[in-house]
Amino acid sequence: MEPTRQHYLMCRPTYFAVDYVINPWMDPSQPVDTDRAIRQWEQLRQAHLDLGHTVAEIAPVPGLPDMVFAANGGTVIDGKALGVQFRNPQRADEAPAYLSWFAEAGLPTYEPKHVNEGEGDILLAGDLLLAGTGFRTSHAAHRQLQELFGYPVISLQLVDPRYYHLDTALTVLDERTVAYLPEAFSPGSQAVLRRLFPDAVLATAGDAEVFGLNAVSDGLHVVLPAGTPQLAGRLRERGYLPVEVDLSELRRAGGGPKCCTLRLRQGKGA
C-alpha cells in the first residue's frame, strides 16, 4: 500500500457559526466556539501537510459560516472543475466564490445544470464516480457528471437524514476499497455496494455518529475524527494507518475532515 501525494483546497473557518438548521446536527441554541473551530481546523491542515500533501486555501467570505466545508464547493477531476448548486439557499453564495477560485487557479470551469453539492455527494473510486442522492444532490445531476468527466456514474440512494451527504456515510480508502455504513443506503444501493466492493470495511452506527466515515485517505493514511476506536482498529487490521484529529466543534454543523477538504485532481489520474 503506497500513499498518493494529493492537492487539497481548504477554507479557514474565520466566520464559522451555527446560525440556521439545514441538517439534523445543527442546533443554533448551542453556543459555538469559533476560535476552537479554527484551532481544530489548523490541526487538520497541518495533518495533511505532515503527510506530504499540498494545501491551497480559498479566502473565507463574511456571512457564509459553512464555507469551511470546502468539499461541497465543487468537483475537480482530470483538471476540470464542476461548480455546485446548493439545495439550501443559506449556502447559495458559496457556489460563485468557489467557481471563481477554480477559474483563477487556471482550471476550466463548468456551471452546474442541476443541484449538486460537490464532493459531499461525488466521490471518485478508481474508474467509478460514486454519486449520492436522496437529500441534497439531485439524481439528474448524475447525468452531467458522466458527460463532463467521462467516468461511469454509480447512483447511490441515501435514506437516513443524519447522513445527508455521501461523504458522511462512505469514504474511499483507495481505488479498490471503500468503508461505509450499510444502513445509510437503500436496499438496492446496499446490493450495488456489496457487488462493487466485496472487501469493503463496514462501519457501525457508532462510527458514523461521530463522523468517522467523513475521512480523507491517500491510499495508506486515513485522516478521520478522533473518537472512532473501532473503525480505526478495523482500518489498521486492513493495513491502513489512521490519523485522528479532533474536529468536534465543526461537527456541530455536521462536518468532519472530508467536509473540510476538497481534492483537486488537476491532471489525468492525479
Side-chain angles (χ1 to χ4, degrees):
M1 300 172 68
E2 294 291 333
T4 301
R5 186 159 295 181
Q6 300 184 0
H7 188 188
Y8 299 135
L9 178 64
M10 299 181 68
C11 182
R12 187 175 298 272
T14 305
Y15 306 108
F16 177 69
V18 179
D19 294 332
Y20 46 76
V21 178
I22 59 173
N23 68 56
W25 307 98
M26 303 178 86
D27 182 358
S29 70
Q30 298 297 315
V32 170
D33 187 337
T34 302
D35 290 338
R36 184 167 184 252
I38 292 172
R39 291 194 299 271
Q40 292 179 348
W41 178 90
E42 288 174 341
Q43 291 171 3
L44 173 62
R45 176 181 177 275
Q46 191 60 50
H48 290 326
L49 294 173
D50 290 346
L51 292 173
H53 305 308
T54 301
V55 178
E57 291 187 43
I58 181 174
V61 176
L64 299 179
D66 283 340
M67 194 171 170
V68 59
F69 301 128
N72 305 147
T75 305
V76 181
I77 298 175
D78 298 341
K80 296 184 286 189
L82 175 63
V84 298
Q85 180 182 330
F86 286 98
R87 174 76 62 184
N88 297 292
Q90 294 92 333
R91 299 194 66 183
D93 289 341
E94 296 177 38
Y98 276 97
L99 201 62
S100 294
W101 190 94
F102 299 141
E104 291 168 6
L107 297 171
T109 59
Y110 299 84
E111 293 279 354
K113 297 179 180 179
H114 307 280
V115 172
N116 93 75
E117 299 202 354
E119 278 199 331
D121 274 325
I122 303 162
L123 299 174
L124 185 65
D127 290 327
L128 298 175
L129 267 178
L130 307 181
T133 190
F135 296 103
R136 298 293 182 86
T137 296
S138 71
H139 191 268
H142 297 182
R143 294 195 297 271
Q144 184 179 13
L145 293 173
Q146 186 162 282
E147 290 303 311
L148 176 60
F149 295 118
Y151 290 83
V153 173
I154 305 298
S155 295
L156 298 171
Q157 184 77 28
L158 296 163
V159 297
D160 188 329
R162 294 175 299 171
Y163 310 115
Y164 51 92
H165 277 149
L166 181 63
D167 70 357
T168 64
L170 181 149
T171 186
V172 177
L173 297 171
D174 57 42
E175 292 188 350
R176 299 174 301 278
T177 312
V178 302
Y180 69 96
L181 177 69
E183 54 262 43
F185 298 91
S186 69
S189 293
Q190 290 183 43
V192 168
L193 288 168
R194 287 194 299 269
R195 184 181 298 274
L196 291 176
F197 304 103
D199 296 323
V201 175
L202 300 183
T204 66
D207 298 325
E209 287 170 0
V210 291
F211 274 55
L213 290 167
N214 195 249
V216 182
S217 175
D218 62 12
L220 175 62
H221 308 97
V222 183
V223 180
L224 75 168
T228 56
Q230 292 184 349
L231 180 58
R234 285 192 291 276
L235 291 171
R236 289 190 189 94
E237 291 172 359
R238 300 288 289 271
Y240 299 99
L241 300 178
V243 178
E244 297 184 79
V245 295
D246 180 8
L247 287 187
S248 53
E249 201 65 26
L250 291 167
R251 194 165 70 236
R252 293 174 180 268
K258 177 55 191 165
C259 287
C260 295
T261 309
L262 173 63
R263 184 171 175 188
L264 302 174
R265 296 177 174 86
Q266 293 179 285
K268 185 70 176 177

